[in-house]
Amino acid sequence: MIKGNAIIGQSGGPTSAINATLAGILHSAENSSHIVEVFGMRNGIEGLLKEDIFKIRPLSEDEIFALSCTPSAVLGSCRKKLPDPYGDDTEEYEKIFSFFLRYDIRYFFYIGGNDSMDAVKKLTEYSKKINYEMVFMGVPKTIDNDLEKTDHTPGFGSAAKYVATVMQEIACDCAVYTVKAVTVVEVMGRDAGWLTAAAGLPRLIGEKTADLIYLPEVPFDEDRFIEDIKTLFSEKPNVVVAVSEGIKTAEGEYVGARAQSGVTDIFGHKYLAGTAKYLERLVRERLGCKVRSVELNIPQRCSAHCLSKRDIDESFGIGKAAVSFSTRAATNDGYVTVLKRREGETYRIEYDCVPISEVANLVKTVPVEMINEEKNNVKDELLEYLLPLIEGEISLPREKGLPKHFKF
Amino acid sequence: MIKGNAIIGQSGGPTSAINATLAGILHSAENSSHIVEVFGMRNGIEGLLKEDIFKIRPLSEDEIFALSCTPSAVLGSCRKKLPDPYGDDTEEYEKIFSFFLRYDIRYFFYIGGNDSMDAVKKLTEYSKKINYEMVFMGVPKTIDNDLEKTDHTPGFGSAAKYVATVMQEIACDCAVYTVKAVTVVEVMGRDAGWLTAAAGLPRLIGEKTADLIYLPEVPFDEDRFIEDIKTLFSEKPNVVVAVSEGIKTAEGEYVGARAQSGVTDIFGHKYLAGTAKYLERLVRERLGCKVRSVELNIPQRCSAHCLSKRDIDESFGIGKAAVSFSTRAATNDGYVTVLKRREGETYRIEYDCVPISEVANLVKTVPVEMINEEKNNVKDELLEYLLPLIEGEISLPREKGLPKHFKF
């Protein structure tokens, strides 16, 4: 239980909830008897390496709330990979630890996804090597929900709420015409289909949504896909499809990469369609009907105008828990604060802390038994598991109809 | 001031506010001493031609509210063009007016955009020809805001609020990295740039948004576009661009159509990129930096989770006004209910009624003097004009975190 200063960084792709976790850490650090002052790194480790750090002033309650509702990463982010901490290339580590020493930094909080947990793990290992007394705490965030040892990841709930809401609205929009038409909607998720699965949620409350859902966890078969659409056409004229960007063929080839084969655009570049775009062409070619594709794209990870209150509450809570765990932890060790769902009918969460080695560089995918037999949708069981994560709304701080985002 | 039944239809591309107008008409018709019963056409005139009409039951206040917040067109829509009412091809008109006679329909309400106003005009002309006593009322809706004689169109405010909000969030998301990067966001609008202009709104409250905005009202120049980006790069690493899907070169060629030239995809089809996708490639080719494109796509017109309260109030109000005007109007005439903005500091609207001939088949574009000298952004003047239209939020009827949409 060392006393000293803390430093916080954000890393990886931003989410709508990553600032809520920052707010939670700041809120708790302010009241901690072990943490004296709090520094922020600009652009994560990338900034830290340039000593681009600043003392974070105490925030008012209103500011803490505004920060919690601000999408993206107010500290800036990076995609920096650190070298092997046991290797010869120690220059970056030496730099980082010299700053730690200079600013008497003893607590390191890093809010990020899988790659960021790898950085926490490596810094922990280097601190052990040089015996610098410090606690390293990873705090998860990712809309992909693909981290091990945590029931789900902060940031996922808001992204899932956005995907479910927009899919419901798109299905409404598509239902108005009588002409046969297919709409293919592409959802983020390279290896894990959690976010795409959320497209099914409106079903649970009897609302329209995607008729077909394809996840990367099972091989995608073009012929079966076309048959699935044909079957639905016998019932109604409009078919709405949700696909993970990362769906792959049985041979392991990304479907989105298929359209590249040999074709170049007018600039002479390899033509790279998205997954939905490729399927749009496939449907047009095979069925000749009206078809369009929609890529939900960046708004999935930054739609703070459609936050899940539960996600923001938990993202804030995990930040607070991270401070509490780290000030009680042994130094020279690395941890990750995680969410544990309690058994029972009512949804209840508690926070826990696990060694960083149990989380870093592992990917949690959707269990195949949660996908239906036809491999073209998810089971209600999975949706019921996801539903509590999107519940509750937040009324944003606004000015003249637009959100007011927090700035340092 | 004839007494009889009314029929309502929705037509053209759906919006988030078209059902609010339907709700307004139903609410007023219920209390009208001239309108006995109200029928709905399924899929507009397309359904009417098949006698696919039904009696609309009176709705409760809660149902009226739920209907007002439901995106898309609950009656279904169509894109049907009627023949010349003075021509020889009168079969469709005969059918329609035989139904009018059978159901004693004397009031016709059609909620739609430009093409729908053309249908109202033609039906009016045919009714005059055969001397069938009836009132025809067009009620505008379009996210494009391109109708004449109305200050703005119902449906535009909510779409503009969505575009402004999402642009602000995307600009937040793009600001987190230090690598030079361009993000091109494509907004709907073939000939009029109103919706794309809304991307500038966050600027008025000091928030991040698109740095560059290109509208179809002025010719788009590729070289100048690249220079605009270069200039911004000298100030900051992230450049966010908003473009109308309909931007054209000085020769009048759609920029989005340029990528088609001769290139075919793996199915042998002409390769058709979107406007943003084309510009993504152009930037990569010319500047070699990181670049991505985002097409805001369908959510622009159906994001009922991001409604402008003012838009919904006005869309409801214009429906009520349409009933009021039509029951006081001369029969055998066609009208459009419009919005008039009062002069003065405070935003105030009133409803008015104009002959259909003054609206049908005309397009209102953004005045060129509202675009800056460099032709790469809009003036504050235009933004201040648009700002009142996006003000206010609506708390949707929800169940378990998701919107509950109205169904008949």
Side-chain angles (χ1 to χ4, degrees):
Chain A
M1 284 178 283
I2 194 169
K3 193 168 174 170
N5 295 326
I7 195 161
I8 313 177
Q10 295 173 314
S11 165
T15 77
S16 295
I18 184 167
N19 288 329
T21 299
L22 172 63
I25 296 174
L26 292 175
H27 191 264
S28 257
E30 178 75 6
N31 302 309
S32 161
S33 53
H34 297 84
I35 295 172
V36 185
E37 294 204 281
V38 182
F39 290 84
M41 337 174 192
R42 289 197 208 277
N43 302 105
I45 285 174
E46 196 183 290
L48 178 59
L49 280 165
K50 293 184 284 190
E51 208 179 337
D52 192 359
I53 66 178
F54 68 106
K55 206 180 283 180
I56 300 181
R57 64 173 172 83
L59 303 181
S60 69
E61 285 294 320
D62 279 357
E63 285 178 310
I64 287 283
F65 176 64
L67 175 59
S68 299
C69 308
T70 297
S72 189
V74 288
L75 294 176
S77 186
C78 70
R79 294 201 182 276
K80 168 78 192 155
K81 216 175 157 65
L82 285 171
D84 176 5
Y86 301 110
D88 296 332
D89 184 8
T90 57
E91 197 193 323
E92 294 189 326
Y93 290 103
E94 280 166 31
K95 228 185 225 175
I96 289 172
F97 280 86
S98 77
F99 298 140
F100 286 166
L101 191 62
R102 181 180 310 163
Y103 295 95
D104 191 27
I105 285 165
R106 302 294 168 172
Y107 293 98
F108 181 92
F109 298 99
Y110 214 43
I111 314 166
N114 235 317
D115 292 341
S116 315
M117 296 306 131
D118 176 68
V120 177
K121 187 165 172 275
K122 284 172 171 166
L123 286 169
T124 307
E125 282 160 3
Y126 192 85
S127 82
K128 276 184 191 160
K129 202 171 114 177
I130 63 163
N131 209 13
Y132 180 87
E133 273 200 301
M134 191 159 170
V135 179
F136 294 87
M137 182 63 75
V139 197
K141 72 83 211 152
T142 163
I143 61 163
D144 293 333
N145 195 35
D146 60 352
L147 252 64
E148 278 293 352
K149 298 285 164 186
T150 187
D151 178 75
H152 56 278
T153 56
F156 171 71
S158 293
K161 188 184 188 100
Y162 179 76
V163 168
T165 305
V166 168
M167 282 303 312
Q168 185 181 329
E169 291 169 343
I170 289 177
C172 258
D173 185 279
C174 294
V176 301
Y177 295 117
T178 53
V179 203
K180 272 190 182 179
V182 177
T183 306
V184 186
V185 184
E186 180 177 330
V187 182
M188 282 179 169
R190 215 78 186 119
D191 301 304
W194 298 102
L195 196 56
T196 309
L201 287 170
R203 206 170 81 197
L204 289 188
I205 60 156
E207 294 288 330
K208 286 191 195 78
T209 190
D211 303 293
L212 300 166
I213 298 177
Y214 300 96
L215 306 191
E217 279 81 358
V218 288
F220 181 82
D221 184 289
E222 293 188 356
D223 296 328
R224 220 160 47 203
F225 167 65
I226 295 295
E227 285 309 312
D228 288 344
I229 293 173
K230 277 192 195 166
T231 307
L232 278 161
F233 268 161
S234 65
E235 295 162 27
K236 56 176 200 160
N238 297 289
V239 175
V240 180
V241 183
V243 285
S244 260
E245 58 176 333
I247 51 166
K248 290 179 270 298
T249 63
E251 292 73 39
E253 184 193 16
Y254 280 117
V255 170
R258 302 207 78 187
Q260 289 178 58
S261 352
V263 183
T264 54
D265 64 25
I266 56 164
F267 300 123
H269 292 147
K270 272 267 170 64
Y271 166 65
L272 201 142
T275 305
K277 203 78 190 161
Y278 174 78
L279 295 179
E280 177 192 327
R281 284 143 199 251
L282 183 75
V283 171
R284 189 170 295 123
E285 176 72 13
R286 296 272 196 97
L287 298 175
C289 64
K290 201 183 142 192
V291 54
R292 62 184 163 186
S293 58
V294 179
E295 206 186 323
L296 292 188
N297 220 311
I298 312 177
Q300 290 166 91
R301 68 179 197 201
C302 63
S303 283
H305 70 277
C306 185
L307 293 173
S308 150
K309 184 173 186 308
R310 177 153 282 142
D311 181 34
I312 296 304
D313 288 348
E314 288 179 352
S315 298
F316 186 80
I318 206 172
K320 287 181 67 167
V323 173
S324 163
F325 285 127
S326 64
T327 51
R328 285 182 284 140
T331 51
N332 295 123
D333 244 329
Y335 309 89
V336 182
T337 310
V338 294
L339 295 165
K340 275 182 101 164
R341 192 187 296 215
R342 289 223 203 138
E343 296 279 334
E345 284 278 302
T346 320
Y347 176 86
R348 282 173 73 187
I349 213 78
E350 52 194 32
Y351 302 101
D352 197 8
C353 180
V354 297
I356 185 85
S357 53
E358 292 182 16
V359 178
N361 307 315
L362 298 167
V363 174
K364 185 172 78 179
T365 55
V366 176
V368 180
E369 58 272 22
M370 295 283 198
I371 297 169
N372 71 353
E373 220 175 299
E374 299 79 14
K375 313 290 181 214
N376 62 13
N377 217 317
V378 293
K379 291 187 185 164
D380 278 0
E381 213 181 320
L382 174 58
L383 298 176
E384 274 149 18
Y385 182 83
L386 297 177
L387 190 61
L389 312 184
I390 68 158
E391 285 185 303
E393 289 73 48
I394 285 182
S395 177
L396 298 181
R398 285 182 184 264
E399 187 178 330
K400 298 189 173 171
L402 288 172
K404 271 311 270 186
H405 290 150
F406 176 87
K407 287 165 211 78
F408 271 119
Chain B
M1 283 178 285
I2 194 170
K3 192 167 174 169
N5 296 324
I7 195 162
I8 313 176
Q10 295 174 314
S11 165
T15 77
S16 295
I18 184 169
N19 288 328
T21 299
L22 172 63
I25 296 174
L26 291 175
H27 190 265
S28 257
E30 178 76 6
N31 302 311
S32 161
S33 52
H34 297 84
I35 294 172
V36 185
E37 295 204 279
V38 181
F39 290 84
M41 336 174 193
R42 289 196 208 279
N43 302 104
I45 285 175
E46 196 183 290
L48 178 58
L49 280 164
K50 293 184 284 190
E51 209 179 334
D52 193 0
I53 67 178
F54 68 106
K55 206 180 281 179
I56 301 182
R57 63 172 173 81
L59 303 181
S60 69
E61 285 293 320
D62 280 357
E63 286 177 311
I64 286 284
F65 177 64
L67 175 59
S68 299
C69 307
T70 297
S72 187
V74 288
L75 295 176
S77 187
C78 69
R79 292 201 183 276
K80 167 80 192 154
K81 216 175 158 65
L82 286 171
D84 177 4
Y86 301 110
D88 296 331
D89 183 9
T90 57
E91 196 195 323
E92 294 189 327
Y93 290 103
E94 281 165 32
K95 228 184 224 175
I96 290 173
F97 280 85
S98 77
F99 298 141
F100 287 167
L101 190 63
R102 182 180 309 164
Y103 294 95
D104 191 28
I105 285 165
R106 301 293 167 173
Y107 293 97
F108 181 92
F109 297 99
Y110 213 43
I111 314 167
N114 237 316
D115 293 340
S116 316
M117 296 306 131
D118 177 68
V120 177
K121 188 164 171 276
K122 285 173 171 166
L123 285 169
T124 307
E125 283 159 3
Y126 191 84
S127 82
K128 277 185 190 160
K129 203 171 114 179
I130 62 162
N131 208 15
Y132 180 87
E133 274 200 300
M134 190 158 171
V135 179
F136 294 87
M137 182 62 76
V139 197
K141 70 84 211 152
T142 163
I143 62 163
D144 294 333
N145 196 35
D146 60 352
L147 253 64
E148 277 294 350
K149 297 286 165 186
T150 188
D151 179 74
H152 56 278
T153 56
F156 171 71
S158 294
K161 188 185 187 98
Y162 179 76
V163 167
T165 305
V166 168
M167 282 303 312
Q168 186 181 329
E169 290 169 343
I170 288 177
C172 257
D173 184 280
C174 294
V176 301
Y177 295 117
T178 54
V179 203
K180 272 190 183 180
V182 177
T183 306
V184 186
V185 183
E186 180 177 329
V187 183
M188 282 180 171
R190 214 79 186 115
D191 302 305
W194 298 103
L195 195 56
T196 309
L201 287 169
R203 205 170 82 197
L204 289 188
I205 60 157
E207 294 288 330
K208 286 191 196 77
T209 191
D211 304 293
L212 299 166
I213 298 177
Y214 300 96
L215 306 192
E217 280 81 358
V218 288
F220 182 82
D221 184 289
E222 292 188 356
D223 295 330
R224 220 161 45 203
F225 167 64
I226 295 296
E227 284 311 311
D228 289 344
I229 294 172
K230 277 192 194 163
T231 307
L232 278 160
F233 269 160
S234 66
E235 295 161 28
K236 57 176 199 157
N238 298 289
V239 176
V240 180
V241 183
V243 286
S244 261
E245 58 175 334
I247 51 166
K248 291 180 270 297
T249 63
E251 292 74 37
E253 183 193 18
Y254 280 116
V255 170
R258 301 207 80 186
Q260 289 178 59
S261 351
V263 182
T264 54
D265 64 24
I266 55 162
F267 301 121
H269 292 147
K270 271 266 169 67
Y271 165 66
L272 201 141
T275 304
K277 203 78 191 163
Y278 174 79
L279 295 179
E280 175 191 327
R281 283 144 201 251
L282 183 76
V283 171
R284 189 171 295 123
E285 176 72 13
R286 296 273 197 96
L287 298 175
C289 64
K290 199 184 143 192
V291 53
R292 63 185 161 183
S293 58
V294 179
E295 206 186 322
L296 291 188
N297 219 312
I298 313 179
Q300 289 166 92
R301 69 178 197 202
C302 62
S303 282
H305 70 277
C306 185
L307 294 173
S308 150
K309 183 172 186 309
R310 178 154 283 143
D311 180 34
I312 295 304
D313 288 348
E314 289 179 352
S315 299
F316 186 80
I318 206 172
K320 287 182 67 168
V323 172
S324 163
F325 285 126
S326 63
T327 51
R328 285 182 284 139
T331 50
N332 295 120
D333 244 330
Y335 309 89
V336 181
T337 310
V338 295
L339 295 164
K340 275 182 99 164
R341 193 188 295 216
R342 290 224 203 136
E343 296 280 333
E345 284 277 302
T346 320
Y347 175 86
R348 283 172 73 187
I349 215 77
E350 52 195 33
Y351 302 102
D352 197 7
C353 180
V354 298
I356 184 85
S357 53
E358 292 182 15
V359 177
N361 308 314
L362 298 167
V363 174
K364 186 172 78 178
T365 55
V366 176
V368 180
E369 58 272 22
M370 295 284 198
I371 297 168
N372 71 354
E373 220 176 299
E374 299 80 12
K375 313 290 182 215
N376 62 15
N377 218 318
V378 293
K379 290 186 185 165
D380 277 0
E381 214 180 320
L382 175 57
L383 298 176
E384 275 150 17
Y385 182 83
L386 296 177
L387 190 61
L389 313 184
I390 69 158
E391 285 185 303
E393 289 74 47
I394 285 182
S395 176
L396 298 181
R398 286 182 184 264
E399 186 178 332
K400 297 190 174 170
L402 288 172
K404 268 315 267 187
H405 291 149
F406 176 86
K407 286 165 212 80
F408 271 118

